[in-house]
Amino acid sequence: MQFIETSVIGVRSAVLTFGWRGSGMRFLLVPMVHVAERAFYEQVSELLRGCDLIVAEGEPKTFLSMHRKVARIRVDGLVHQTTALDLESLGIPLLWPDLGGEAGPARWFDVVVDALTAVPDWLMTIGFPRRAIDITDLTGHDGWAGGRLKNSWREAMLHDRDRQLLDHIAQVHRERGDEHVVVGVPWGAHHMTAVAAYLFSELGYRVVGATWLTVRTAR
């Protein structure tokens, strides 16, 4: 299953809709790339406006004041997700697995973490993308293979957060599976390997719709 594709036309994201056994519940998987053309985030926002609930990645914008300030510094014509995608402005209920559920007021250590990680996170996106990006259900985590430090980083950034995300998806399915609702899941494309596999194998969902969004046109 394709999530991110690089070709002669540029980089594209495959938006997939999963349905379940004739039920009205749908999961809208939106593989995110954290630096892209502004039009990509505008299209993502438009898709998510049709959702009844969003399982959001990361933290609310009030937790990321320094990230948002630093992310505005770019010279490549691209924009960062923290400045271009404002999920809270959509007026749709949000779940934040990275925070354990509903978001509350920012705590003092959230402010400290924001300040300490803003510049390193920004440096990781300089010159993005440096190479072709292709993410499928077979290769989604391969690019993270490496030594002990990289494996520890992969465990914290991918696998631990995958588990939190899947717990929230399972909860939504359990509590609202008999409702006609659309649940948006706009998470980093590397997480979609775990999400798609869980929906398919554990919950019995199947792909019932798909479309492409352009992340970045070829230059």
Side-chain angles (χ1 to χ4, degrees):
M1 188 177 297
Q2 193 89 29
F3 301 116
I4 298 291
E5 175 194 75
T6 301
S7 69
V8 293
I9 66 173
V11 181
R12 300 193 300 173
S13 171
V15 177
L16 304 171
T17 301
F18 279 75
W20 179 66
R21 302 175 187 172
S23 166
M25 172 163 275
R26 297 288 186 268
F27 282 92
L28 182 71
L29 272 55
V30 187
M32 298 301 296
V33 176
H34 299 312
V35 175
E37 294 175 349
R38 185 173 297 278
F40 170 68
Y41 299 114
E42 292 174 349
Q43 292 177 79
V44 169
S45 295
E46 193 60 33
L47 284 174
L48 293 175
R49 288 183 196 279
C51 295
D52 302 285
L53 174 69
I54 297 174
V55 183
E57 181 177 14
E59 301 172 334
K61 62 182 179 181
T62 55
F63 288 37
L64 300 172
S65 176
M66 186 59 67
H67 273 79
R68 290 168 62 83
K69 291 177 181 178
V70 173
R72 293 189 179 96
I73 306 173
R74 300 201 67 86
V75 295
D76 54 9
L78 303 178
V79 294
H80 196 282
Q81 181 174 327
T82 57
T83 63
L85 183 64
D86 186 358
L87 297 179
E88 295 158 85
S89 70
L90 300 178
I92 297 169
L94 298 168
L95 290 178
W96 301 92
D98 284 319
L99 297 179
E102 300 286 345
R107 296 154 293 184
W108 68 268
F109 58 85
D110 295 315
V111 178
V112 172
V113 171
D114 174 41
L116 292 177
T117 60
V119 172
D121 287 352
W122 174 75
L123 290 173
M124 290 176 64
T125 66
I126 295 298
F128 176 89
R130 296 181 180 86
R131 57 184 175 83
I133 308 171
D134 287 287
I135 301 175
T136 73
D137 55 353
L138 298 178
T139 63
H141 288 176
D142 287 356
W144 294 74
R148 181 179 301 176
L149 179 60
K150 186 173 286 189
N151 287 336
S152 297
W153 179 258
R154 176 179 59 185
E155 184 68 23
M157 291 296 99
L158 285 175
H159 299 314
D160 287 349
R161 296 175 67 228
D162 283 349
R163 286 187 283 269
Q164 293 173 330
L165 173 56
L166 297 183
D167 284 345
H168 280 74
I169 287 176
Q171 179 182 348
V172 171
H173 167 78
R174 184 169 58 251
E175 295 178 354
R176 304 187 63 177
D178 59 348
E179 300 180 30
H180 288 265
V181 294
V182 179
V183 182
V185 187
W187 274 62
H190 282 286
H191 296 281
M192 292 302 164
T193 300
V195 176
Y198 184 76
L199 288 173
F200 188 88
S201 300
E202 300 298 326
L203 299 183
Y205 283 78
R206 297 293 183 266
V207 176
V208 296
T211 189
W212 287 103
L213 296 182
T214 299
V215 174
R216 179 177 181 176
T217 54
R219 300 182 180 182

